[in-house]
Amino acid sequence: MFGAPSFYISSIFSLKMRAIAFFILLCGLTACDDKSSKITSNSDSSRIEIKSTHSRELLLRGSYQDLVLTASEVKSLNQMAILFDLYEGLTSYDAKGNLQPAAAESWQSEDHKTWFIILREGLQWSNGEPINAEDFVYSWRQLVKEESSLKSYLAFMHIENAELVLEKKLPVENLGIEAVDERILRIQLDKPTPYLPAMLAHIALLPKYPHATEKWVSNGAYQLEQWSSDKALLSKNPFYWQKDRVAFKTVEYKKITSEQSSEVDFIWQAQKQVTDYFPQLCSYYYEFNLAHPQLSNKAVRKALSSMISSANLVKNNPQMTALNQLLPPSLQNASEPVWENIVPEQLLEQNGINENNPLALTLTYDQKQPYQQISEQLIRIWGQLDLLRLRSEPLLYQQLLERRANKKFDIIRAGWCADYQDPTAFLNQFHSKNVDNKISYQNPEFDQLLEQALQEQDPKQRQMIYAKLEQILQQDYVIIPIFQYQTPVFVNSTLAGFHQKNASDVVYSKDLYRKVKTD
């Protein structure tokens, strides 16, 4: 992502992937329509020029792209960051990337279909007006009216009537969200979804100020003072519910070149000066097409998988962390696969593969480094098999997507990014009836357990079910996991308040602070 790495594939392109170019900011102002105009300051001060560095009161953040305030233009994590500073949804992430209550104080559900979301008492917009449950109802209904593909997130969440509302077969008032009173939202889903709180952190669901105004009104830790395409100035929101825990009084975003990365305190997807790597909830792997007559045999898939060491494939590349299973480490419940001493040729022969009936396969991948290089390594490794007739098929990226969507492949380079922090974000695609299941995988036990997990009320029991599901995928050898993607960042050495294992793609300015003393 972030410039969007091209290896994430799904039919909806994982709304997390669209999180960068595709998350939507519900800005709530007519000023959003004119991105070239200057925003009226929330104060009466003239435009502020900030040049100081290493200040305990000023945080400098950068972007290699123009700054934007409309989601349709967002194409990078740096562009997104400003939106997270200005707005706060019902849930959010802490500095370690864990889900936490935000505008919502708590939530309740007895069946995972009907949810009651309780807002914090005394929430206010940046102009001092109260925030109530009806504001969130208004925001979701406005999302339906937006000319953005992100409105499909409402259906992705299983909001009741969302598909019919989006197709304009029902009025927007039929969308499954209502205000019970000023602090309580009732959200109705069309299927049990125990991970709904995690989905509420999506930026598409940020609240939208419901009134026309000349001044930018938001509800996050910061408010907008001034904005242009190359510089934005934010000040601490005096009405934010956690304002006493916000260290920096001012945050300045500015457009920079790759040579200027060290001139700011924090920048995502650092191009030349890199100090850290943050993990993403994204897995890169190769898929077997189980509709292939020979690959339908698990033993054949096992023989091929046994020859691959993900650690060797991605060694010396700090942007890749080797994976031995589908899920990234922060979501894993199952233990690492147990190593077996397998002789691939012998296993293939035991399953009907011989000189008269060789294993004939095509490896499909895209012509982009380093992904082409990884595929070429696989070709060399599998080329050691006398019983394998392997053909390579390098394609343009769009051709790769089309080939996978049409299920016209034997083994194909693929990947997945989570839209929310729960194992089902990865596991759901392997249900036999899931539209993103392009490998013809069908396992009744897997389907039954996945459906059971959605009904399970006890989180610990649900995690145990997830562990079984992960083990089934390992034992069935449906994919060859390769790596988890790591995002390069530049962080000023004086900055603190972030965590290097944060896989949320979000670092809020409100959590950051300066370690050093200044004059």
Side-chain angles (χ1 to χ4, degrees):
M1 305 185 169
F2 345 95
S6 59
F7 54 76
Y8 309 126
I9 304 176
S10 84
S11 67
I12 54 171
F13 239 121
S14 175
L15 286 170
K16 166 83 174 229
M17 171 75 179
R18 297 206 308 233
I20 305 304
F22 353 78
F23 277 0
I24 187 167
L25 168 63
L26 304 181
C27 56
L29 295 176
T30 55
C32 290
D33 296 331
D34 184 5
K35 63 180 183 297
S36 62
S37 63
K38 292 185 178 180
I39 306 302
T40 304
S41 171
N42 284 331
S43 66
D44 293 327
S45 61
S46 59
R47 185 170 183 82
I48 302 171
E49 294 294 334
I50 294 180
K51 299 180 180 179
S52 60
T53 59
H54 295 183
S55 164
R56 284 191 168 185
E57 296 188 351
L58 169 66
L59 175 68
L60 297 175
R61 299 188 66 157
S63 172
Y64 300 119
Q65 301 82 17
D66 286 348
L67 302 178
V68 297
L69 291 173
T70 55
S72 60
E73 297 176 289
V74 172
K75 297 179 181 178
S76 74
L77 288 175
N78 293 311
Q79 292 174 321
M80 271 184 61
I82 187 172
L83 312 184
F84 285 110
D85 282 350
L86 291 172
Y87 290 89
E88 183 170 80
L90 294 168
T91 60
S92 63
Y93 303 102
D94 64 18
K96 293 183 178 181
N98 299 314
L99 188 74
Q100 65 178 358
E105 179 181 76
S106 61
W107 43 84
Q108 304 170 3
S109 179
E110 295 183 355
D111 61 1
H112 295 158
K113 288 184 66 176
T114 301
W115 287 82
F116 293 94
I117 313 297
I118 297 89
L119 300 185
R120 295 183 185 278
E121 188 172 2
L123 290 177
Q124 293 175 281
W125 294 102
S126 57
N127 61 1
E129 294 180 12
I131 298 174
N132 55 53
E134 195 61 48
D135 291 332
F136 285 90
V137 175
Y138 171 80
S139 300
W140 288 26
R141 290 177 177 175
Q142 286 299 111
L143 176 59
V144 171
K145 301 174 184 179
E146 295 283 344
E147 293 299 323
S148 168
S149 60
L150 282 180
K151 65 178 69 176
S152 64
Y153 189 70
L154 296 168
F156 183 71
M157 294 170 65
H158 309 298
I159 303 298
E160 187 178 61
N161 295 326
E163 290 189 6
L164 293 175
V165 169
L166 291 172
E167 293 170 359
K168 298 182 179 180
K169 295 179 180 179
L170 284 177
V172 70
E173 290 76 18
N174 286 74
L175 192 67
I177 180 172
E178 64 176 343
V180 177
D181 61 26
E182 290 189 352
R183 289 185 56 206
I184 300 177
L185 281 167
R186 179 180 180 272
I187 299 175
Q188 186 65 44
L189 308 180
D190 60 20
K191 65 177 291 185
T193 307
Y195 44 84
L196 178 70
M199 301 189 83
L200 296 176
H202 197 291
I203 201 171
L205 305 180
L206 293 176
K208 175 176 181 175
Y209 186 65
H211 308 297
T213 176
E214 293 183 356
K215 296 182 178 180
W216 197 275
V217 180
S218 57
N219 74 319
Y222 291 92
Q223 59 184 350
L224 187 64
E225 294 291 348
Q226 290 139 5
W227 176 84
S228 67
S229 62
D230 58 1
K231 182 180 290 188
L233 186 65
L234 282 58
S235 66
K236 191 173 175 178
N237 179 2
F239 298 105
Y240 181 58
W241 66 278
Q242 264 192 323
K243 61 181 181 295
D244 293 338
R245 298 183 63 180
V246 178
F248 289 107
K249 293 182 178 180
T250 306
V251 180
E252 181 184 0
Y253 284 84
K254 62 180 181 179
K255 183 180 178 181
I256 63 172
T257 66
S258 59
E259 304 290 344
Q260 297 174 305
S261 296
S262 62
E263 297 179 14
V264 298
D265 291 311
F266 190 100
I267 189 164
W268 289 103
Q269 202 64 20
Q271 294 180 359
K272 290 194 175 180
Q273 295 153 305
V274 178
T275 60
D276 298 278
Y277 290 88
F278 281 31
Q280 293 181 284
L281 295 180
C282 299
S283 296
Y284 173 100
Y285 49 87
Y286 287 79
E287 292 178 323
F288 293 110
N289 187 347
L290 276 62
H292 186 285
Q294 292 173 306
L295 291 177
S296 64
N297 187 333
K298 180 171 68 174
V300 173
R301 303 194 299 271
K302 182 177 181 179
L304 294 172
S305 298
S306 70
M307 300 181 68
I308 305 304
S309 167
S310 59
N312 288 337
L313 289 176
V314 302
K315 62 183 179 182
N316 302 323
N317 191 327
Q319 290 188 247
M320 302 175 183
T321 298
L323 285 178
N324 292 316
Q325 53 181 298
L326 170 69
L327 274 64
S330 62
L331 294 180
Q332 291 175 4
N333 296 279
S335 57
E336 287 287 298
V338 178
W339 181 82
E340 295 183 62
N341 185 13
I342 297 171
V343 180
E345 293 272 7
Q346 186 178 75
L347 187 56
L348 291 175
E349 288 176 347
Q350 292 171 352
N351 286 272
I353 306 298
N354 51 52
E355 289 294 340
N356 296 324
N357 182 37
L359 181 59
L361 299 173
T362 298
L363 178 63
T364 303
Y365 56 93
D366 54 335
Q367 302 168 327
K368 184 176 181 180
Q369 298 296 357
Y371 317 121
Q372 180 171 336
Q373 181 181 5
I374 293 175
S375 296
E376 290 172 348
Q377 290 184 70
L378 293 181
I379 293 169
R380 286 194 294 272
I381 293 170
W382 284 331
Q384 301 172 38
L385 289 172
D386 293 334
L387 300 179
L388 175 62
R389 308 293 183 265
L390 184 63
R391 184 176 74 91
S392 66
E393 185 181 38
L395 298 175
L396 297 176
Y397 181 59
Q398 188 58 42
Q399 293 174 320
L400 183 79
L401 295 180
E402 294 171 358
R403 191 62 59 89
R404 183 179 182 274
N406 294 323
K407 302 183 181 181
K408 295 182 178 180
F409 63 90
D410 298 338
I411 305 175
I412 193 168
R413 195 276 292 157
W416 197 265
C417 278
D419 301 288
Y420 51 91
Q421 292 197 9
D422 189 84
T424 53
F426 287 89
L427 298 173
N428 282 344
Q429 63 176 306
F430 294 97
H431 191 285
S432 62
K433 295 182 180 179
N434 191 289
V435 296
D436 290 308
N437 183 346
K438 304 299 183 183
I439 64 174
S440 302
Y441 178 63
Q442 297 187 41
N443 185 321
E445 182 186 7
F446 184 92
D447 289 355
Q448 185 272 325
L449 285 171
L450 187 56
E451 292 162 10
Q452 180 183 337
L454 299 181
Q455 302 284 348
E456 180 57 59
Q457 293 292 317
D458 186 341
K460 291 184 178 179
Q461 290 296 320
R462 194 180 315 123
Q463 294 300 317
M464 292 177 64
I465 297 173
Y466 289 159
K468 291 180 182 178
L469 289 165
E470 294 165 36
Q471 289 170 354
I472 290 173
L473 291 180
Q474 291 176 22
Q475 294 165 0
D476 283 350
Y477 296 95
V478 295
I479 67 166
I480 302 176
I482 304 296
F483 69 83
Q484 176 188 21
Y485 191 81
Q486 305 284 323
T487 301
V489 298
F490 173 83
V491 185
N492 190 289
S493 60
T494 66
L495 208 61
F498 63 93
H499 197 279
Q500 287 180 313
K501 292 187 178 181
N502 179 354
S504 69
D505 287 339
V506 183
V507 172
Y508 299 93
S509 296
K510 66 182 177 65
D511 293 330
L512 301 175
Y513 60 93
R514 191 80 65 190
K515 291 186 292 187
V516 299
K517 294 182 179 180
T518 58
D519 295 333

